[in-house]
Amino acid sequence: MAPAAPPPAKRALPTKENTVFKSLLQLYESRQYKKALKAADQILKKVPEHGETTSMKGLVLTNMDRKEEGIDLVKKGVRLDITSHICWHVYGIVHKSDRNYEEALKCYRKALQYDKDNVNIIRDSAQLQLQLRHYDGLRETRLALLKLRPFVRTGWIGLAVAYRLNGNLQGARQVLKQYISSLKDVPNYDLEYSELMLYYIRLLEDLQEYSEAMQLLDVHAKGRSIVDKTAITLLRGESREKAMQLLQQLAADLPRANAPKRLPLTICTCEAFRPLVEPYLLSGLSRGIPSLFADVKSLYVDLEKRQMIEEYVTNLCVSLTGPTTSGERTGPEPSTYIWSLYFLAQHHSYISPTKPQKALEYIDLALAHTPTLPELYMIKARALKRAGDPIGASRAMEDARRLDKQDRFINTKTAKYLLRDGQVEGASTILGLFTKESQKDAASPGSDLEEMQSLLYMLEEGDAFRRMGKLSMALKRYKGIEKAFAEFEDDQFDFHSYCLRRHTLTAYETYVTDLPLMSCDDLTQPFSLLRWEDNAKSHPAYVSSALSAARIYIRIYDDPALIVASAPASLTDTQKKARKKAKKAEKKAETPMLAPTDDKDSPPAPAKDEDPDGMKLLSVVDPLEQAMRLVKPLEDLQASDIRIWLIAYDISLRRKKYLQALKALKAACELDKNSSELHYRVIEFKSTVDSSQLSADMKGSIDEVLPLLVPSGLSLEQFNNDFVQRNSGSAAAQLGYSRALWIMYKDSEKRRAEDALASLSREDVDTSIQIGLDALAFLRDVVRSPQVDNLRTALAQRFPASTIFKAESEREQLRADHTRAAATEEEKAEELI
């Protein structure tokens, strides 16, 4: 290897300037940016071509809201002294602050070429490698750091974690064993040592050295070294019978605790279920616990257990309404009756969502008994929502809110139901009641909720705008969710060093790749920060928003006129006020603060919204590329979700990436080969490739896989007929059949497509509200059929409790009637007061 080049002569500073440069570094570290800038200018006045000072001045400016100027100076500093590790380190810091971790790591590697033993740069490189999941490089970096600082404990732990993440469990064990043997005089109940031993025992478990793991667990549990008793129990892996015995003992020792009584309901068999569940239900109903149904509905996966619960609560409710022989009731509290009705209403709404009659009967009985209980109106709203009546649901939730206007939860639920009914302005007004006082200058309550990363708000409002045809605003809300998850990913950066420093290893890196993303209710698997972050985008809110945004991009690719149609019309009064507030906030942000006293205490100015209406998001030149960018990560994270592959197919077909489209269809077929959504897409794909000019290699690859989707020698007409005959009682199959007819024949078979969809209103066809809405959208937007109103009327008769199939004029009239009724009731209430 050639000897390192000597440092350039211009890097050396005179004694005075060298002292100032050292103070410059200290001022930057203490965030005294104005003084640091003054020091840099003092040096550059004497040595204007000093690269390291130029880079440091640029770094200071990037922290003083002069980012572009600062980045230019950092680049200039690198050019002035390309062999300086400080210049490259500063350049990496700038990239890291922009969340450009790949480029930051490249800069750190360059810096280490000129100062290979710089501990700070090596440590920062290790953090970046963890953030980027570059585990091979992490092992080498951690080994180098340990050699330089063998007396630092985080070096040993960091190397063990690096070995484990690389799959070298024996290497991790050897490092930890050597480190643990060096520890002396560890006090009892030391939390850090406890976490370290739990991590080591889990490592032995992964190595299948169970006897040694159990021996260590026993020794350290008795020796007061392991503090976490729950972890001890989980590691022991008790049997069902032993678990039941432990829970019974806990229930006896802690009679007021709920968990020892609830967990046996999940563990026990059906034979032992009834004597356990009846006292549990009676206790919850007697105490008036509103969340009792939410607590036990997970047991409904077992139909026998569900039947036992229904029988008991129904019999209890009947017994509470009957006469007493002595005139005095010695059984449950009188309030038990109202909560039994409340429970049964939830039960029947849950098991028969589109047939709310039984649930509403129980709700009406409960309201006649106690008309001032908000929870009754809330469950009424939920039953109506499930039945397809968003107007009645929002009115019922508003009735609940009026009984307790200071309850944040009820106000939030009311806003959510208003959004589902398309009343965006009404929802915004209610949400504005609970936004921060400090955010009064914000453009709207929504801007505050977006800053707080309220996924519920952004998703619900985005869906509301999409249903209203305001695609630009829908994309803006979905973009907010994407931005929130990007921030979740960046937030883990500081934890890479924190978790090693504080020994929280099991929570950080117990990495199990063959398990689905854990829910908060999964108490049998350890939580892992790394694993959670790797799977964060499989969160339902992200998946739903990404798919909805991708569908919008597909729509505007198919029909660019939608961009013009989605442009904001004249603003309403509320929107005008919000726009005025936004301009006021921007003006206030642009006004410089008067004489700030301290750089580090001055808050950053809020970023100006460059796309308030979302039109820039909607008017992209590459909508299909944007859609694929959203869907591609989900192919690995949510490979078992057929929706991902169907959207991936839609995008690939339009991009003329036929092999990618075929791959998506094959993956969807493996998940559900009888899917109606898959069926018509298979016909679409075969029709497209048959009419396209393909290369011989591509055609050969397609012909090799296509028989798995469409049997060889079978015409598309016969394939379509066979599908609908196999699924004659399925509304989804009828819709898929109609879509396939339209793809093959367009207007020539329009009548057949309409007739197939007309069967959705028949009682012998298994349909749902969502399928009905999809069928209406297909007839209206694709076929442009005059039979839309006829189908809407038929579906309204099929779902008599719904209002979603009524004409828009009828729905507006219903909203107006509800508003007048609410105003009348409000006036009566004020008169009583």
Side-chain angles (χ1 to χ4, degrees):
M1 179 182 291
K10 59 183 178 181
R11 184 182 302 170
L13 287 171
T15 304
K16 179 180 178 181
E17 281 68 28
N18 189 49
T19 303
V20 175
F21 183 77
K22 291 179 181 178
S23 69
L24 165 61
L25 298 176
Q26 295 174 353
L27 290 169
Y28 169 76
E29 291 293 337
S30 59
R31 297 176 62 186
Q32 300 181 55
Y33 299 130
K34 287 190 175 181
K35 292 180 181 179
L37 182 61
K38 186 176 180 181
D41 287 335
Q42 181 180 342
I43 298 172
L44 292 174
K45 186 175 181 180
K46 184 75 177 289
V47 190
E49 297 296 312
H50 190 251
E52 294 179 347
T53 304
T54 304
S55 292
M56 283 303 302
K57 179 180 179 180
L59 181 60
V60 170
L61 289 176
T62 60
N63 289 277
M64 296 179 67
D65 295 330
R66 296 165 63 180
K67 196 162 191 176
E68 292 185 4
E69 181 183 355
I71 291 174
D72 290 340
L73 284 175
V74 170
K75 293 179 179 178
K76 179 181 177 182
V78 173
R79 290 195 300 269
L80 289 172
D81 195 350
I82 200 169
T83 61
S84 167
H85 73 277
I86 292 179
C87 293
W88 284 108
H89 192 187
V90 167
Y91 201 11
I93 293 172
V94 171
H95 279 305
K96 186 175 70 173
S97 67
D98 288 337
R99 300 173 179 175
N100 191 353
Y101 300 123
E102 287 283 2
E103 292 300 320
L105 185 57
K106 290 178 183 178
C107 292
Y108 285 173
R109 287 171 179 162
K110 199 73 176 175
L112 288 172
Q113 289 182 13
Y114 306 112
D115 188 3
K116 65 179 181 179
D117 294 336
N118 190 303
V119 173
N120 290 332
I121 300 177
I122 295 174
R123 186 170 55 245
D124 289 348
S125 297
Q127 270 191 282
L128 286 171
Q129 287 166 332
L130 268 169
Q131 181 76 7
L132 295 168
R133 308 299 192 262
H134 291 177
Y135 295 140
D136 289 337
L138 174 66
R139 180 187 56 212
E140 303 303 324
T141 302
R142 278 292 172 188
L143 186 58
L145 194 59
L146 181 62
K147 289 178 179 178
L148 289 172
R149 296 278 185 93
F151 51 85
V152 177
R153 61 180 183 176
T154 55
W156 292 89
I157 297 171
L159 180 59
V161 169
Y163 274 129
R164 182 180 169 106
L165 290 172
N166 275 281
N168 187 352
L169 301 183
Q170 286 291 355
R173 176 191 180 182
Q174 185 177 355
V175 171
L176 282 179
K177 188 175 182 179
Q178 186 172 351
Y179 171 65
I180 292 171
S181 65
S182 68
L183 299 176
K184 306 296 181 184
D185 300 324
V186 179
N188 291 335
Y189 304 115
D190 184 83
L191 292 175
E192 293 183 357
Y193 184 72
S194 172
E195 284 290 320
L196 180 62
M197 290 309 304
L198 283 174
Y199 184 74
Y200 183 57
I201 290 169
R202 289 191 186 280
L203 184 61
L204 292 175
E205 184 184 6
D206 291 342
L207 286 166
Q208 298 183 359
E209 298 188 9
Y210 302 117
S211 59
E212 184 179 352
M214 287 299 297
Q215 182 181 359
L216 276 175
L217 186 64
D218 291 336
V219 169
H220 288 282
K222 294 176 182 177
R224 302 177 182 178
S225 297
I226 297 180
V227 181
D228 191 344
K229 302 302 180 185
T230 303
I232 293 172
T233 304
L234 290 175
L235 282 168
R236 290 188 192 279
E238 307 291 0
S239 65
R240 180 194 296 259
E241 292 75 16
K242 182 66 174 177
M244 288 293 291
Q245 293 175 10
L246 290 172
L247 289 170
Q248 289 172 3
Q249 183 62 42
L250 278 173
D253 295 341
L254 304 169
R256 299 182 62 182
N258 189 64
K261 301 171 186 175
R262 171 61 182 84
L263 290 175
L265 301 180
T266 303
I267 299 172
C268 72
T269 59
C270 291
E271 291 76 14
F273 181 71
R274 189 182 295 275
L276 292 174
V277 75
E278 290 183 358
Y280 185 81
L281 291 172
L282 180 59
S283 174
L285 295 171
S286 300
R287 289 185 291 160
I289 299 176
S291 60
L292 180 62
F293 178 77
D295 179 17
V296 301
K297 72 178 180 181
S298 60
L299 303 171
Y300 280 28
V301 294
D302 189 322
L303 296 181
E304 193 172 345
K305 289 183 178 181
R306 187 184 84 179
Q307 185 63 30
M308 292 182 192
I309 292 173
E310 180 181 348
E311 288 176 0
Y312 174 73
V313 181
T314 302
N315 293 336
L316 176 64
C317 191
V318 171
S319 68
L320 291 172
T321 58
T324 58
T325 56
S326 62
E328 295 183 2
R329 190 178 299 278
T330 59
E333 294 291 330
S335 62
T336 306
Y337 173 65
I338 191 70
W339 291 109
S340 299
L341 293 173
Y342 177 72
F343 184 95
L344 289 172
Q346 294 181 86
H347 168 82
H348 287 286
S349 175
Y350 182 76
I351 63 176
S352 303
T354 60
K355 297 179 180 179
Q357 292 80 9
K358 192 71 174 175
L360 292 175
E361 286 178 14
Y362 284 112
I363 293 170
D364 290 340
L365 286 172
L367 287 173
H369 185 280
T370 309
T372 57
L373 189 63
E375 284 83 356
L376 298 177
Y377 295 94
M378 295 175 70
I379 189 56
K380 181 179 181 180
R382 180 172 295 177
L384 292 173
K385 176 203 73 172
R386 288 171 172 166
D389 183 10
I391 300 173
S394 62
R395 166 65 195 282
M397 195 61 76
E398 174 62 23
D399 290 341
R401 189 184 77 87
R402 285 185 10 249
L403 292 172
D404 190 356
K405 292 185 176 181
Q406 294 184 351
D407 190 297
R408 186 188 296 264
F409 174 72
I410 299 178
N411 277 270
T412 302
K413 293 289 284 186
T414 304
K416 176 181 175 181
Y417 275 61
L418 288 172
L419 287 171
R420 290 184 174 180
D421 188 32
Q423 301 183 54
V424 176
E425 291 185 18
S428 181
T429 301
I430 291 176
L431 291 170
L433 299 173
F434 288 90
T435 50
K436 294 180 182 178
E437 289 294 323
S438 60
Q439 297 294 328
K440 283 186 176 179
D441 290 329
S444 68
S447 62
D448 184 27
L449 290 167
E450 188 169 347
E451 183 180 349
M452 292 191 294
Q453 299 176 334
S454 173
L455 301 180
L456 179 145
Y457 160 75
M458 289 186 283
L459 182 60
E460 291 292 344
E461 187 165 85
D463 289 344
F465 280 128
R466 175 178 53 79
R467 289 189 294 267
M468 296 163 65
K470 298 180 179 180
L471 304 183
S472 59
M473 287 303 298
L475 276 180
K476 185 173 177 63
R477 291 294 174 260
Y478 296 146
K479 184 68 175 179
I481 295 177
E482 183 186 1
K483 180 182 176 183
F485 276 87
E487 291 177 3
F488 294 164
E489 184 176 351
D490 291 323
D491 287 343
Q492 69 175 304
F493 187 83
D494 292 331
F495 283 93
H496 297 312
S497 59
Y498 172 85
C499 292
L500 297 181
R501 190 170 67 251
R502 300 306 298 268
H503 286 54
T504 56
L505 300 177
T506 51
Y508 173 65
E509 184 272 311
T510 306
Y511 206 85
V512 189
T513 56
D514 59 344
L515 293 174
L517 184 63
M518 292 172 290
S519 69
C520 296
D521 297 328
D522 187 357
L523 302 178
T524 63
Q525 296 296 336
F527 176 80
S528 164
L529 171 69
L530 291 182
R531 182 166 169 267
W532 189 92
E533 289 287 355
D534 286 345
N535 292 274
K537 288 185 177 179
S538 62
H539 189 282
Y542 183 87
V543 173
S544 179
S545 64
L547 293 181
S548 296
R551 291 188 185 102
I552 290 175
Y553 282 125
I554 292 172
R555 287 180 62 188
I556 63 175
Y557 174 83
D558 292 342
D559 186 6
L562 288 173
I563 298 176
V564 178
S566 299
S570 58
L571 301 177
T572 63
D573 291 340
T574 303
Q575 290 170 329
K576 288 178 180 177
K577 290 179 182 178
R579 185 66 59 86
K580 187 176 180 180
K581 259 190 175 181
K583 290 182 179 179
K584 183 179 178 181
E586 289 174 10
K587 186 176 180 180
K588 185 176 180 180
E590 291 170 0
T591 304
M593 296 180 66
L594 298 177
T597 56
D598 198 345
D599 298 304
K600 53 189 176 185
D601 292 333
S602 58
K608 182 180 178 182
D609 191 350
E610 301 291 344
D611 189 19
D613 300 318
M615 288 305 296
K616 290 183 180 179
L617 290 172
L618 191 67
S619 305
V620 293
V621 296
D622 55 346
L624 293 182
E625 298 301 325
Q626 294 298 322
M628 182 54 76
R629 178 183 61 81
L630 293 169
V631 173
K632 191 65 177 176
L634 300 178
E635 292 182 1
D636 295 326
L637 294 175
Q638 289 289 93
S640 60
D641 189 339
I642 193 171
R643 297 175 301 167
I644 307 296
W645 297 108
L646 296 178
I647 292 291
Y649 160 79
D650 292 338
I651 299 169
S652 300
L653 187 73
R654 287 162 174 78
R655 296 172 68 204
K656 299 188 184 329
K657 305 287 186 181
Y658 297 123
L659 293 180
Q660 292 180 12
L662 183 61
K663 174 188 173 184
L665 288 179
K666 185 173 180 291
C669 183
E670 291 172 354
L671 294 173
D672 184 5
K673 63 180 180 180
N674 208 39
S675 167
S676 61
E677 293 287 318
L678 171 65
H679 169 72
Y680 78 82
R681 285 178 169 88
V682 169
I683 290 179
E684 180 185 35
F685 179 76
K686 191 168 190 320
S687 300
T688 302
V689 297
D690 286 348
S691 60
S692 302
Q693 296 293 329
L694 306 177
S695 65
D697 291 341
M698 182 179 292
K699 185 171 177 54
S701 300
I702 292 174
D703 290 342
E704 184 178 345
V705 178
L706 197 57
L708 299 175
L709 305 174
V710 182
S712 301
L714 194 66
S715 67
L716 292 182
E717 171 73 21
Q718 187 60 44
F719 178 67
N720 196 29
N721 291 336
D722 290 348
F723 175 78
V724 77
Q725 289 172 10
R726 282 198 316 270
N727 304 278
S728 58
S730 168
Q734 297 291 342
L735 178 56
Y737 172 76
S738 299
R739 289 182 183 274
L741 285 175
W742 181 259
I743 289 169
M744 290 187 292
Y745 304 114
K746 301 297 182 186
D747 287 324
S748 61
E749 292 293 340
K750 183 176 181 179
R751 183 66 179 175
R752 284 173 62 193
E754 293 171 342
D755 290 343
L757 293 181
S759 65
L760 267 61
S761 61
R762 297 204 319 258
E763 289 294 333
D764 60 326
V765 175
D766 181 20
T767 188
S768 67
I769 291 173
Q770 186 57 53
I771 292 175
L773 292 174
D774 292 342
L776 285 173
F778 171 65
L779 283 182
R780 181 185 63 245
D781 301 333
V782 180
V783 180
R784 304 186 186 279
S785 168
Q787 299 298 319
V788 172
D789 291 336
N790 293 337
L791 180 59
R792 180 185 290 110
T793 302
L795 289 170
Q797 293 174 353
R798 175 72 188 274
F799 299 100
S802 72
T803 57
I804 203 165
F805 294 114
K806 294 184 181 295
E808 187 59 35
S809 58
E810 295 180 81
R811 298 177 68 190
E812 286 297 333
Q813 184 61 46
L814 283 173
R815 292 191 187 100
D817 293 342
H818 285 326
T819 302
R820 283 194 297 270
T824 302
E825 291 179 11
E826 193 77 27
E827 291 174 2
K828 291 180 180 179
E830 291 178 359
E831 290 175 3
L832 291 174
I833 294 173

